[in-house]
Amino acid sequence: MSIHPTAIVAATAVVPESCMVGPYCTVGPDVVLGEACELISHVVLDGHLKAGARNKFYSFACVGVAPQDLKYKGEPTGVAMGDDNVVRECVTISRGTTGGGGTTRVGNGCLIMAYTHIGHDSVVGDSCILANGATLAGHVIVEDFVTVGALNQVHQYCRIGKYAYTGGGTTVTQDVLPYSLTSARRETRAYGLNKVGLERRGFDRTRLRAIQHAYRYLLAGKLNTSQALEKLKSEGIATEDVTYLVEFIEKSERGVLK
């Protein structure tokens, strides 16, 4: 068994010899790990946590910690995880509560990215991806093969159906349909030139006027993007900045915000 001398592993914890426990990790007395699990460093495993084989926990992940629920009074609740999960940096997975069945569950083969929070009594299925900063409140159900986008907030008791994909920055307050692409409205747009910032970077009036002229075609006129680019190129007076702007737009694969 590879346990770093700075790690603290409770005498009653079950840690197979095939596991690796890195520096400054803490493994509580009721933790049971499967074969070939890896704790990189500074990992906290606590509560009645039972994890399957080949799970990998990155630095500062906290799994099985007490639920963020004022009704919780220290009852012996836990977390159950399957095999082959990757739990990235600063992930928090709270153990269950007596009011929610007592167990928070994560299936097999999930990628749980940095700063994700899985609240008490939630259930995450198999082969799910929870992107950076995804937040599941208590009692959330995420079915198999779901992708929860970065910085998503999922309200208590909501359910996300199989194979669904929720876009980044989406707040989920009702159940998400299986197979769906569900996302918050995208109303981000360019409002004009970053004039103050460019001045601070040393852009003189001549440079600024040339860029402002290009932006009038792109944002303020009645031309679509392709027409605006043709207009700018046909003038034959493009500065280095305008040439870069035109080339940037032409090379865009996803389109530009405007």
Side-chain angles (χ1 to χ4, degrees):
M1 186 186 302
S2 176
I3 298 180
H4 194 275
T6 60
I8 300 173
V9 179
T12 55
V14 177
V15 182
E17 292 186 3
S18 58
C19 292
M20 190 281 284
V21 181
Y24 301 101
C25 294
T26 302
V27 181
D30 298 309
V31 172
V32 178
L33 297 180
E35 296 289 342
C37 288
E38 185 175 358
L39 284 63
I40 301 299
S41 72
H42 300 83
V43 174
V44 175
L45 303 183
D46 197 16
H48 289 264
L49 166 63
K50 185 174 182 179
R54 299 174 301 279
N55 290 297
K56 191 169 186 177
F57 301 90
Y58 282 77
S59 301
F60 303 103
C62 296
V63 181
V65 292
Q68 298 175 122
D69 185 336
L70 293 174
K71 298 186 296 298
Y72 180 72
K73 304 300 180 185
E75 297 86 354
T77 55
V79 171
M81 299 182 67
D83 304 328
D84 301 304
N85 296 294
V86 176
V87 180
R88 293 304 303 252
E89 295 82 359
C90 301
V91 166
T92 54
I93 304 178
S94 299
R95 57 182 178 259
T97 63
T98 55
T103 305
T104 302
R105 300 183 184 277
V106 176
N108 304 294
C110 294
L111 172 57
I112 303 172
M113 296 188 191
Y115 292 95
T116 290
H117 173 67
I118 299 176
H120 60 83
D121 305 296
S122 292
V123 177
V124 177
D126 296 337
S127 301
C128 293
I129 298 174
L130 276 64
N132 300 76
T135 301
L136 309 185
H139 312 279
V140 168
I141 297 176
V142 178
E143 297 185 351
D144 299 340
F145 305 105
V146 165
T147 296
V148 180
L151 303 175
N152 275 206
Q153 307 163 60
V154 185
H155 196 277
Q156 288 178 323
Y157 297 101
C158 284
R159 177 184 178 193
I160 302 180
K162 289 182 179 181
Y163 298 96
Y165 184 109
T166 60
T170 299
T171 298
V172 175
T173 58
Q174 294 179 289
D175 292 353
V176 175
L177 291 169
Y179 314 108
S180 70
L181 174 60
T182 298
S183 183
R185 288 182 178 273
R186 302 291 191 231
E187 296 183 349
T188 306
R189 66 183 183 88
Y191 287 89
L193 194 65
N194 180 19
K195 185 172 181 292
V196 173
L198 295 175
E199 288 175 340
R200 289 173 177 170
R201 291 292 182 180
F203 282 60
D204 60 24
R205 291 183 179 179
T206 300
R207 291 183 71 181
L208 289 172
R209 278 198 297 268
I211 301 170
Q212 284 175 325
H213 176 71
Y215 264 69
R216 288 191 191 98
Y217 284 136
L218 288 168
L219 302 182
K222 297 181 180 180
L223 305 177
N224 63 34
T225 301
S226 297
Q227 292 169 334
L229 293 180
E230 289 302 318
K231 185 71 173 177
L232 287 170
K233 288 190 287 186
S234 69
E235 289 183 343
I237 56 173
T239 64
E240 181 179 347
D241 297 314
V242 174
T243 298
Y244 164 68
L245 176 63
V246 170
E247 291 177 350
F248 180 93
I249 296 170
E250 289 180 330
K251 292 177 180 178
S252 175
E253 296 182 358
R254 293 182 57 85
V256 297
L257 293 166
K258 53 177 291 193

